[in-house]
Amino acid sequence: MSIGAALRPLRLWPRTLGSRLFLILLAGLLLAQGLTFSVQFIERYMAAKAVMLNTLENDVATSVAIFDRLPASERADWLQRLDRGTYRFELGAGLPGIDTLTDQGAGIAAKIRQAVDPRFPIRFQSIPGDGKRLQAHLTLSDGNPLTIDVNPAPIMPLAQWLPYVLFAQLLLLILCAWLAVRLAIRPLVNLANAADALDPNKKTPRLSETGPSEVAYAATAFNAMRDRIAHYLEERVQILAAISHDLQTPITRMKLRAEFAEESIEKDKLVQDLAEIERLVHEGVAYARSAHGSTEKASRLDMDSFMESLVYDYQDTGKAVTLSGKIETAIVTRPHALRRIFTNLIDNALKFGGIAEVSLEKDPQGTVIVKVLDRGPGIPEDQLKAVLQPFFRLEQSRNRGTGGTGLGLAITQELTLAIDGTLHLANRPGGGLSAEITLPQTFKPH
């Protein structure tokens, strides 16, 4: 048998921790309840059996004594009076049977033998085909036969209402097990949700530090970790800002010296390198600030007017940018962040496709959809997510030779997330790239 086949039955085991704890706890409670019920049932069964046999012994002893003392002509009148349901008396030899007795029959026979006076010979036989039925044959003092016909009924030591109580207990066990697991798992679920939504740049509520000591300790540790991450991110922005500030002066001096240098190919290369360094520094700081959040206040703006103004600015400079669609919708967002997002996308479309097609749409839920399309080389499917990472460049057309720093799309992604939007990149049929931005009508500052 292969390992996979051996492990296949384990797939029936629930995947969630809550389900596993619930099954384990419920199985334990049911097992304990079953053992308790079994012990009680056996104890009550033995007690009921002992009571029945003792009663049988006393009744048989009294009844045989009565029949022995009564005249033969009056004995028939007492048969119904001494009938007990599970056993009765017959005046005669009874039915033919076999001498082999069951365990229960042997116990009943022993009790009857103890009850009957030793001077009365007695013989026991099982009645074939009647299950546990047996007959005791004895001879009275006057020589007449007497038969004790015993047909023991099942011993039911439990009341009829007990199954309903057991069913109610089962429901109570299930409810208690579910409630216990829910209370035990809730702090873990809250911790997982807080970890999934972790964003030190957003002012999300801190994880509650109340509850059992272990839960409170984990919540305190998580909040402390979140504070440390926020502190590290803030330090990163400060370091990048300081580096940018300190590099401005030497870069400016180097550019001035290069301007006074004699015209040559080397001079042009030096000026180009200095411009790339300066642009890289600016883009790095811009990315750090976008990732760390923005203090820009949200305001209401008309999307049609906003996009028309942005596109007209490009057209005024002779750029091939077009706008289609009209949604007549106003949204609440951060205008400068939104302008930076679409500027980056349009600049990329112009750089790699020569033209940029901007379209405005709105879905039935009121979500605004803006697409920036180009007819450039596109992006390999396996790298569509990687290009959103900082400092990532494609090896072919989108490389250093185009003047890119590898931060444009990363900045766009961070700013889009900061205003509760989403960015989706996809290759267009026939070639080119589609950059789709979805924006909610109302932005909730974090």
Side-chain angles (χ1 to χ4, degrees), residues 393-428:
R393 296 183 182 87
L394 295 177
E395 295 299 329
Q396 299 176 359
S397 63
R398 299 172 187 250
N399 54 30
R400 286 187 183 272
T402 63
T405 60
L407 288 173
L409 288 177
I411 293 173
T412 302
Q413 169 76 347
E414 291 294 339
L415 290 176
T416 302
L417 294 176
I419 59 174
D420 291 344
T422 59
L423 169 61
H424 177 69
L425 300 180
N427 289 307
R428 301 177 64 189

Side-chain angles (χ1 to χ4, degrees), residues 10 29 81 110 130 142 154 182 197 214 265 297 320 347 400:
L10 296 179
L29 290 174
R81 299 179 185 179
D130 287 342
D142 58 1
R182 180 178 175 86
E214 297 84 358
I265 297 177
K297 294 183 178 180
D347 287 344
R400 286 187 183 272

Side-chain angles (χ1 to χ4, degrees), residues 214-335:
E214 297 84 358
V215 175
Y217 178 75
T220 302
F222 179 85
N223 290 331
M225 178 191 69
R226 181 177 125 169
D227 294 339
R228 287 194 299 270
I229 293 175
H231 178 67
Y232 294 152
L233 291 177
E234 185 176 357
E235 283 187 345
R236 183 184 68 173
V237 174
Q238 293 176 351
I239 291 173
L240 287 175
I243 292 175
S244 175
H245 180 270
D246 292 342
L247 287 177
Q248 289 298 321
T249 300
I251 291 175
T252 302
R253 287 200 303 263
M254 294 172 68
K255 290 176 67 175
L256 288 174
R257 290 172 183 172
E259 292 294 335
F260 287 107
E262 296 181 0
E263 296 294 334
S264 65
I265 297 177
E266 297 300 327
K267 173 186 174 181
D268 294 338
K269 292 182 178 180
L270 178 60
V271 172
Q272 183 179 357
D273 289 342
L274 290 173
E276 184 177 350
I277 294 173
E278 188 174 29
R279 183 168 57 253
L280 181 60
V281 171
H282 289 164
E283 291 292 329
V285 174
Y287 171 74
R289 288 175 177 170
S290 66
H292 188 65
S294 175
T295 57
E296 180 188 359
K297 294 183 178 180
S299 61
R300 187 179 182 86
L301 58 86
D302 182 84
M303 280 300 297
D304 293 324
S305 301
F306 178 83
M307 295 306 300
E308 287 177 359
S309 174
L310 181 62
V311 171
Y312 288 160
D313 289 342
Y314 278 97
Q315 292 176 348
D316 289 342
T317 60
K319 302 294 178 61
V321 181
T322 60
L323 176 65
S324 62
K326 199 173 185 67
I327 58 175
E328 299 180 353
T329 299
I331 65 173
V332 177
T333 188
R334 292 171 175 167

